[in-house]
Amino acid sequence: MLIIDGDYPMAYGAIDLDRDLTRPIDEVRNAKPSSSRCESSPDSETMATIPEMRRGGIAAALAKICVRIQRSGSSLSGYRSGEVASAVAHGELAYYRILEAREQVRILHNGSDLTQHMDSWSTATDHSGLPVGLILGLEGADPILWPQQVHDWWNLGVRVVSLSHYGISTYCHGTGTGTDGGLFPAATELLREMDALGMILDVTHASDASVRESLEVFSGPVLASHQNCRALAAGERQFPDDILQAVVQRGAVVGISMDTWMLYQPGIDWADIPRNRRDLFPREAITLSDFVDHIDHVCQLAGNSQHAAIGGDTDGQGGRHAAPAEIDTVADYQKVADVLAGRGYTDKDIENIMYRNWQRFFKTWLPS
């Protein structure tokens, strides 16, 4: 079965973690150590490379550009100025363009691109030589230095923007640092510019107040690329049911994250994230059954299977070490279908969740 991954920060893995993602996954996992690699994310834990995506039937992904401005209280690294953050974000965009020039990926700019790409994957008996489709998104809007600059990012191929990525951003309060405020004044103007363009708003990582305020201002298409359910796993990083219902009513697809921090039922203090999740639970404690619980919860809230999907946060969530026990690589995302079938989901429902919901959403909202 084909899969569309609703969240893959591929450029982060390539640039920040210095991985050659065009290589087979065993080569990446066993590569000679890099002097520039992040020590907290060893290569041995890599879940995805382009060949491994092909092997797993992952036809396309929402590929993120993820760069932040460093701010006091943030648990994540960033850059000291917006100008530098924006320049680095352009470097991540350049990486995706180089992959496209090498025919490793195909950037999907519009609905026709998506249709042609998915047709080629659905009719092929061998995916090993096909490019992987990428829809480009900004995870956190810090690289947009002023609201009107979003037009430049649109012209460069970006189709999805989220306002924050952990903590306070240029435009709003986000999750993951104990902050609970809403939008900043510039966000209203940015959202109106996005509306005018047809840009898609990703509400993932925004605080509850920021999401509620955004939905009042923004009338365009909304998605949640990697967002789990607070009713099942306590903590501010997950959405409460009223927000899930609000975005579903707007036609959103909600991608469920493979990050076990977001599947751990007792929840964690997102303002003080433990250094090592294994101090709280062994890898075997969280399984694909826990992951499918969140898919099922969205389906129950929606009353159908048309709004839940996979949003892996693939390798952005910590890699294999931080994924459910059955996941070794992204090829194991296929196992989600088996768990759904065991829960009584029909073949049509399973296809919706594995890829058709994302395909339908982007076919509707990418420019024609």
Side-chain angles (χ1 to χ4, degrees):
M1 182 177 296
L2 298 184
I3 294 173
I4 295 178
D5 185 354
D7 187 76
Y8 180 21
M10 182 189 290
Y12 162 78
I15 297 173
D16 290 61
L17 304 181
D18 195 17
R19 294 170 179 166
D20 182 354
L21 300 178
T22 67
R23 309 301 302 168
I25 198 157
D26 286 343
E27 290 185 21
V28 174
R29 286 178 168 179
N30 295 293
K32 180 180 178 181
S34 166
S35 60
S36 62
R37 179 175 54 79
C38 175
E39 294 299 327
S40 63
S41 299
D43 292 337
S44 60
E45 298 304 312
T46 306
M47 283 168 52
T49 65
I50 293 171
E52 194 67 9
M53 293 175 80
R54 293 177 180 131
R55 188 176 79 86
I58 301 178
L62 174 53
K64 296 295 187 62
I65 296 165
C66 186
V67 183
R68 297 168 301 278
I69 298 173
Q70 178 64 53
R71 290 182 170 85
S72 177
S74 174
S75 60
L76 298 181
S77 62
Y79 295 89
R80 294 177 179 176
S81 74
E83 291 79 9
V84 174
S86 188
V88 174
H90 279 86
E92 293 197 2
L93 174 62
Y95 171 72
Y96 292 129
R97 288 182 158 183
I98 290 166
L99 290 181
E100 183 173 48
R102 300 276 190 185
E103 299 184 345
Q104 295 284 337
V105 306
R106 181 184 183 187
I107 297 174
L108 307 176
H109 296 273
N110 54 53
S112 295
D113 288 347
L114 176 67
T115 297
Q116 293 169 13
H117 177 78
M118 294 303 293
D119 285 349
S120 69
W121 270 73
S122 63
T123 57
T125 56
D126 180 3
H127 299 140
S128 61
L130 295 179
V132 173
L134 301 182
I135 299 160
L136 300 185
L138 280 175
E139 182 153 345
D142 280 348
I144 304 173
L145 300 181
W146 57 90
Q148 295 79 8
Q149 197 192 39
V150 72
H151 291 256
D152 296 339
W153 287 101
W154 174 271
N155 292 334
L156 291 169
V158 171
R159 296 293 179 259
V160 181
V161 171
S162 61
L163 296 183
S164 183
H165 179 244
Y166 283 115
I168 293 172
S169 74
T170 303
Y171 296 98
C172 78
H173 288 75
T175 58
T177 56
T179 177
D180 60 1
L183 300 181
F184 297 127
T188 297
E189 189 173 358
L190 174 60
L191 290 169
R192 287 172 178 162
E193 295 293 337
M194 290 171 58
D195 241 342
L197 283 168
M199 188 76 82
I200 299 164
L201 174 64
D202 182 358
V203 293
T204 300
H205 279 297
S207 68
D208 290 0
S210 294
V211 176
R212 293 185 178 108
E213 292 172 20
S214 293
L215 295 178
E216 291 292 324
V217 174
F218 184 75
S219 63
V222 174
L223 62 78
S225 60
H226 53 303
Q227 190 66 60
N228 293 7
C229 309
R230 198 176 299 170
L232 303 182
E236 65 173 84
R237 177 61 182 86
Q238 290 70 257
F239 274 167
D241 283 357
D242 69 293
I243 289 182
L244 290 170
Q245 289 171 322
V247 297
V248 164
Q249 288 170 5
R250 289 281 292 268
V253 173
V254 179
I256 302 303
S257 173
M258 290 280 177
D259 187 346
T260 53
W261 279 141
M262 297 170 63
L263 298 167
Y264 180 57
Q265 292 185 13
I268 65 168
D269 180 0
W270 286 90
D272 186 21
I273 301 173
R275 183 174 297 274
N276 184 358
R277 69 189 77 207
R278 296 299 161 249
D279 293 338
L280 292 181
F281 55 86
R283 173 163 151 77
E284 296 75 19
I286 297 177
T287 69
L288 282 179
S289 181
D290 298 301
F291 175 82
V292 169
D293 285 345
H294 288 255
I295 289 176
D296 183 66
H297 189 75
V298 173
C299 292
Q300 298 306 319
L301 288 175
N304 57 54
S305 66
Q306 296 178 15
H307 296 274
I310 293 173
D313 195 10
T314 302
D315 280 330
Q317 43 59 263
R320 171 174 56 175
H321 176 74
E326 301 93 331
I327 301 296
D328 181 61
T329 79
V330 288
D332 293 316
Y333 287 5
Q334 291 287 347
K335 296 176 181 178
V336 173
D338 297 331
V339 181
L340 288 165
R343 301 270 184 106
Y345 278 76
T346 67
D347 289 347
K348 182 178 179 181
D349 291 332
I350 294 169
E351 287 185 356
N352 282 342
I353 292 161
M354 300 297 280
Y355 75 99
R356 289 197 186 277
N357 288 340
W358 283 129
Q359 182 177 358
R360 185 186 311 111
F361 180 89
F362 286 117
K363 179 65 170 65
T364 300
W365 294 114
L366 288 176
S368 58

